[in-house]
Amino acid sequence: MISKDYIITAAEGIHARPATALVKLTKRFKSTISIKKGDRVVKLNSLLNILSLAAKGGETISIIVDGEDEVGALVAIDMFFHEELKHL
Amino acid sequence: MITGIGVSAGIAIGRAYLLKKQETALTGLTITDEAAIATEIEKFDKAVELSLIEVNILIDSYHEANGSEGLEILEAHIELLSDPQIKEDVAEKIFAEKKNVNDAVIEVIADAVTMFKNMEDEYMRARAADVEDIGNRILKNLSPTGKAPAHTYPPDTIIIADDLSPSDTISMDTTCIIGFATRAGGKTSHAAIIAKSRGITAVVGCGNLLTEVKNNDLLILDGQSGAIMVNPDEQTIITYQAKREECQAHNLLLKSLKDKPAITTDGIAVKLLANIANADDMEQAHDLGAEGSGLLRTELLFMGRDAFPSEDEQFEFYKAVALKAKGKPVIVRTLDIGGDKPLPYFNLPAEQNPFLGYRAIRICLDRTDIFITQLKAILRASAFGKLKIMFPMIANVQEIRAAKIVLNEAIEDLHKAGISFDKTIEIGIMIEIPSAAITADLLAKEVDFFSIGTNDLCQYTLAVDRMNEKIKDLYDPYNPGVLRLISYVIDQAHKNNIEVGMCGELASDANATLLLLGMGLREFSMSATSIPTIKNTINNNAMGFANQIYERVMAMDNSTTISAYLKEVNK
């Protein structure tokens, strides 16, 4: 299991567009991927759950990846939060 | 007249059609038979499957020309329809509470809708509509009567509804429907976003007055102001028809220019920036093709309250702007208040001449406690975007040096506290006092950039208070003295290899654009709505012409001749 913190670099936070992209990303991997904000942890495979976190721009969230392809999944997550999110 | 929130440019004149929503109701029926549980879950899966097919059909028939927004919304609907959490919650209601599938879906969707509606963020609250939308789709596919017959509308129809779902708006036939008005909704609702990208005139959030509208009423919908006129008289119709034409021509220009760079016909690139007052303005600036902001006024943050904003409050404000700028530069002007813009909690004595008095950088250098709080907040926000700092009302070199001492103190404090910020942040000044303009060669050695504030520069150079009705005609940016100062400042900036921009009103005066280009100005900051017009001027002219205009104007001895000449060449 790996856990890593990210600062949300998109002004609108994780709104519908990036959340949809996150769900799609999650589906590419076998690992269970979760997102944690404050005390709440939800799985990344549910758009409803991600949106329910209402993660805003500038906030810090943690991503927890657990499973056989967790290293690859984290690379994709890294790309997402460091690069792709800015353009979404 | 009914007034709502105008969410798209344009005027629509047409006949009302009232759209009624089908209500879904709880049946209250419970399942008694264990075997029925499996059947209910099967029904749910089947309804979801049908819904997915429908949305996929919408996606396939979606035209790229309508903008990517609609497509993204539909893709989000696909994810919501197949959301494991929704399925789990529905199954739970069926299993544990023995609800029938219809009631289970209604309750699960209602819970999710409530959750979104209670969110703090306006954008997130508007997402309730998406959950409701997919919920209604599933419910419709659960009932055996299923499909609602496709309705055809006469041409020039304006839909009147309580609210419209995103898929209602996406599937709207724009050959017949020219606009819509809803009782509910806000400017961030998907219906509003899609209306904007599809070019449908729309007014949302009209409130209960909208219920007065009857089928077939003649309506004028103003998508900009949010006004709706019901059965207007002949004269009003004629006025709005003219306005509609104007709007169409302007929108066409906007559309054709939005993503084009500002570049002269011989390839000289010009930066067009927006003057903004908060993060929301930044959004509009993007829409109109701004490459960042050349002036963020910070006064708004200090007005309409009863105490100075704390460092944290200021930080949140600057951070929001930095994030909204999406990596594009934003020039933050430090506090520019004075006797003419008093703050209720900051006792500034009345002055004989507030414009020549205790104001802007003069206050900041006197009350360094206020100044350092603002500088620290800006520096902290610089970790979230490309911010630059600009000092207003600089008259001499000493003031710049004094301001930099306070800035260094702020930097030192952040260092000690281990707070991150942009260590390469650029520092600039407003050139708006004649002494600063004349000593631009000296000041240029102290800063990274100049920004010419033509309003104050003109007023101070000509000794004209432009608020004074009797003499306001003397206020004249085309005065050869003012033009010489501007030209000198630009020259000195180039000679010293620093950037120079203009954020005063002259930057948004299309008659002055070529003259300023000829002077060597390459950065114009203005109210965002002026950007397309200025871009249009730049994109249709060559530098040779601009240089020629500049030479001619500098040889003229009075502003009447200059402004007549500029009007002539800009025809």
Side-chain angles (χ1 to χ4, degrees):
Chain A
M1 192 178 81
I2 330 173
S3 169
K4 195 167 170 182
D5 289 356
Y6 297 95
I7 291 179
I8 297 163
T9 52
E12 292 87 358
I14 304 191
H15 61 153
R17 208 181 317 161
T20 306
L22 266 178
V23 174
K24 283 187 178 159
L25 183 155
T26 304
K27 285 182 178 165
R28 282 165 35 208
F29 298 94
K30 287 185 194 137
S31 296
T32 305
I33 309 178
S34 315
I35 180 168
K36 179 167 182 266
K37 190 192 125 181
D39 297 331
R40 277 196 68 205
V41 184
V42 298
K43 287 196 186 132
L44 267 188
N45 65 0
S46 161
L47 185 59
L48 191 71
N49 285 339
I50 300 177
L51 290 177
S52 76
L53 289 181
K56 297 192 207 48
E59 285 184 339
T60 305
I61 50 96
S62 324
I63 296 286
I64 303 130
V65 196
D66 189 13
E68 51 183 294
D69 54 359
E70 59 188 27
V71 176
L74 197 70
V75 171
I77 294 273
D78 258 350
M79 268 287 281
F80 180 83
F81 280 102
H82 290 150
E83 284 304 317
E84 292 160 25
L85 185 55
K86 280 180 220 156
H87 311 297
L88 285 170
Chain B
M1 194 176 79
I2 303 168
T3 315
I5 308 162
V7 289
S8 59
I11 308 275
I13 306 174
R15 297 273 169 193
Y17 181 91
L18 308 192
L19 199 66
K20 294 260 185 292
K21 260 245 146 69
Q22 268 188 317
E23 287 297 320
T24 45
L26 289 170
T27 60
L29 298 173
T30 49
I31 315 162
T32 42
D33 184 354
E34 282 292 318
I37 290 177
T39 321
E40 292 302 288
I41 294 197
E42 227 168 79
K43 276 191 209 161
F44 176 75
D45 288 341
K46 188 82 197 150
V48 166
E49 203 179 299
L50 283 172
S51 304
L52 282 170
I53 292 171
E54 285 176 5
V55 177
N56 275 316
I57 289 174
L58 278 178
I59 289 179
D60 288 341
S61 61
Y62 194 82
H63 293 291
E64 269 307 316
N66 292 332
S68 57
E69 288 90 345
L71 209 56
E72 280 152 11
I73 290 163
L74 292 173
E75 276 171 8
H77 284 195
I78 295 272
E79 294 304 337
L80 280 174
L81 281 168
S82 46
D83 196 292
Q85 189 65 51
I86 292 179
K87 182 175 165 134
E88 198 180 299
D89 291 350
V90 168
E92 174 72 15
K93 294 238 182 235
I94 297 172
F95 269 115
E97 298 173 36
K98 303 279 180 288
K99 305 254 183 196
N100 69 64
V101 61
N102 179 72
D103 291 7
V105 170
I106 291 177
E107 289 183 13
V108 167
I109 295 298
D111 286 349
V113 165
T114 311
M115 175 192 80
F116 279 110
K117 282 192 172 157
N118 284 329
M119 282 188 181
E120 210 178 292
D121 184 279
E122 192 194 352
Y123 171 87
M124 283 298 185
R125 277 202 300 273
R127 300 295 67 77
D130 292 295
V131 179
E132 222 158 26
D133 196 344
I134 64 113
N136 285 334
R137 198 178 279 286
I138 297 173
L139 286 170
K140 184 194 73 183
N141 284 318
L142 276 174
S143 66
T145 47
K147 272 201 166 88
H151 189 89
T152 50
Y153 298 95
D156 293 338
T157 295
I158 294 174
I159 298 280
I160 302 294
D162 191 54
D163 202 357
L164 287 171
S165 72
S167 39
D168 285 339
T169 327
I170 291 173
S171 52
M172 223 172 237
D173 176 5
T174 50
T175 56
C176 314
I177 299 170
I178 54 168
F180 67 80
T182 61
R183 191 188 59 78
K187 68 177 191 317
T188 54
S189 64
H190 275 334
I193 295 169
I194 295 167
K196 203 172 160 191
S197 73
R198 292 193 68 190
I200 304 171
T201 302
V203 179
V204 301
C206 299
N208 291 331
L209 277 176
L210 199 64
T211 49
E212 287 172 13
V213 177
K214 290 179 286 297
N215 262 325
N216 234 21
D217 273 348
L218 183 67
L219 298 181
I220 298 177
L221 219 61
D222 186 334
Q224 213 140 34
S225 72
I228 302 172
M229 272 124 307
V230 187
N231 297 320
D233 59 39
E234 193 72 22
Q235 194 48 50
T236 313
I237 295 174
I238 292 170
T239 314
Y240 272 91
Q241 275 168 340
K243 218 172 152 185
R244 180 175 63 185
E245 301 277 92
E246 216 174 280
C247 259
Q248 278 164 347
H250 188 67
N251 285 341
L252 221 62
L253 177 70
L254 284 190
K255 223 177 169 172
S256 70
L257 285 174
K258 187 192 166 228
D259 298 314
K260 271 197 202 154
I263 189 160
T264 60
T265 53
D266 48 350
I268 298 297
V270 180
K271 246 190 222 150
L272 299 183
L273 309 164
N275 295 346
I276 62 172
N278 54 42
D280 284 347
D281 289 354
M282 195 67 236
E283 197 140 329
Q284 193 205 8
H286 283 304
D287 286 347
L288 290 161
E291 291 179 65
S293 168
L295 172 64
L296 166 64
R297 298 185 175 93
T298 59
E299 289 74 60
L300 257 191
L301 182 56
F302 290 80
M303 288 172 177
R305 42 186 305 137
D306 44 28
F308 275 106
S310 68
E311 183 187 316
D312 281 346
E313 267 176 88
Q314 293 195 46
F315 164 65
E316 291 298 335
F317 177 87
Y318 306 133
K319 186 175 89 171
V321 176
L323 287 167
K324 273 265 156 62
K326 302 189 172 159
K328 290 176 177 165
V330 175
I331 297 179
V332 186
R333 180 175 70 187
T334 58
L335 196 52
D336 189 18
I337 50 160
D340 58 314
K341 301 181 222 172
L343 301 175
Y345 51 87
F346 186 50
N347 204 4
L348 288 173
E351 295 179 343
Q352 285 279 347
N353 290 303
F355 281 100
L356 305 180
Y358 185 61
R359 59 184 298 122
I361 197 73
R362 299 168 182 180
I363 294 177
C364 288
L365 292 178
D366 180 46
R367 289 288 307 271
T368 48
D369 54 325
I370 299 169
F371 195 29
I372 200 164
T373 306
Q374 182 174 35
L375 291 174
K376 276 196 208 166
I378 299 171
L379 284 169
R380 282 169 62 192
S382 72
F384 297 89
K386 177 123 190 72
L387 298 186
K388 305 181 184 188
I389 297 176
M390 175 163 73
F391 306 125
M393 276 289 280
I394 293 287
N396 56 48
V397 164
Q398 294 97 300
E399 281 169 348
I400 304 177
R401 291 182 186 152
K404 281 210 254 181
I405 289 172
V406 183
L407 179 67
N408 282 334
E409 216 174 295
I411 288 176
E412 199 63 24
D413 282 356
L414 293 190
H415 252 310
K416 273 187 209 146
I419 297 168
S420 60
F421 60 94
D422 176 7
K423 295 188 176 57
T424 61
I425 193 162
E426 289 177 20
I427 309 299
I429 54 169
M430 292 275 293
I431 301 283
E432 52 190 338
I433 296 182
S435 66
I438 293 169
T439 55
D441 55 328
L442 305 174
L443 304 188
K445 309 211 159 43
E446 302 283 328
V447 293
D448 300 309
F449 65 90
F450 286 157
S451 181
I452 306 171
T454 53
N455 306 3
D456 278 344
L457 184 62
C458 185
Q459 143 163 301
Y460 291 138
T461 304
L462 301 175
V464 172
D465 175 1
R466 61 188 190 135
M467 305 300 171
N468 186 330
E469 283 295 318
K470 280 213 167 117
I471 54 162
K472 72 175 196 309
D473 288 345
L474 295 176
Y475 175 89
D476 178 9
Y478 292 126
N479 174 288
V482 176
L483 294 180
R484 275 168 166 70
L485 282 180
I486 294 172
S487 176
Y488 179 73
V489 171
I490 296 169
D491 260 356
Q492 287 306 321
H494 290 329
K495 284 207 174 103
N496 288 280
N497 285 318
I498 67 166
E499 281 178 30
V500 55
M502 177 177 286
C503 62
E505 258 162 47
L506 200 59
S508 61
D509 177 351
N511 280 330
T513 307
L514 293 175
L515 170 64
L516 294 169
L517 276 180
M519 288 183 182
L521 193 73
R522 298 289 178 267
E523 204 177 297
F524 296 65
S525 192
M526 63 200 82
S527 90
T529 47
S530 299
I531 290 178
T533 316
I534 300 299
K535 195 189 275 185
N536 198 31
T537 303
I538 292 167
N539 289 8
N540 285 305
N541 286 286
M543 275 312 297
F545 188 43
N547 291 334
Q548 188 192 326
I549 290 173
Y550 164 62
E551 266 159 42
R552 290 282 299 274
V553 165
M554 294 317 263
M556 292 174 185
D557 65 2
N558 73 83
S559 61
T560 315
T561 323
I562 293 172
S563 91
Y565 169 70
L566 288 178
K567 263 192 199 130
E568 184 59 35
V569 293
N570 280 294
K571 247 184 196 162

